[in-house]
Amino acid sequence: MIDPAGGVVDELFASLDALAAEDLAPLFGPALLERLRPLLVAQNRLAAEVARTVRACEVSGAAEVDGLKTMGPWLRGHGHLSAAEAARVVRPGRALAHLPAMAAAFAAGQVTGEQVAAIAGWPSPSP
């Protein structure tokens, strides 16, 4: 895979591989919850970065490279998302372009995609 982010995405994948390799069997209760908390923040941050990138693709007309007019069809065809899920991925970038404080909170992992959806006034993303 070509990584235009200069290896950052490869580093992310390597970190995810390391997480997946950890043995959770010896952990219980509090230790598992302590592991989960930063993962939830990371999930929010990754969703924010996807939204930011999809918005940049949308604004630049990137989908046209593949003969598509918008990012919705691109996400359905290349991301294997349903039409509803593709719309849920496209909407945050559009809304957050007008809500910089919310965009910053989403990027920091302080809010979820569902919270962004509630403030932006559109249906929330699926879990």
Side-chain angles (χ1 to χ4, degrees):
M1 175 173 102
I2 297 173
D3 183 2
V8 175
V9 174
D10 288 338
E11 291 175 24
L12 174 62
F13 287 157
S15 294
L16 290 172
D17 289 343
L19 279 168
E22 289 182 356
D23 183 10
L24 301 182
L27 302 178
F28 69 98
L32 286 168
L33 294 175
E34 286 303 312
R35 184 179 195 273
L36 179 59
R37 282 185 186 94
L39 291 175
L40 293 172
V41 172
Q43 177 179 316
N44 293 337
R45 293 185 69 187
L46 186 56
E49 190 57 29
V50 167
R52 185 173 82 95
T53 303
V54 167
R55 179 63 178 160
C57 288
E58 188 175 49
V59 169
S60 71
E64 293 176 14
V65 170
D66 285 334
L68 301 167
K69 291 184 179 182
T70 65
M71 285 305 296
W74 191 94
L75 289 165
R76 290 193 305 271
H78 294 278
H80 310 290
L81 303 181
S82 68
E85 188 61 24
R88 286 186 199 104
V89 171
V90 171
R91 285 186 196 122
R94 290 178 183 167
L96 293 172
H98 305 286
L99 302 167
M102 179 57 79
F106 195 26
Q110 298 168 340
V111 297
T112 66
E114 187 173 16
Q115 291 167 323
V116 172
I119 288 175
W122 34 265
S124 65
S126 62

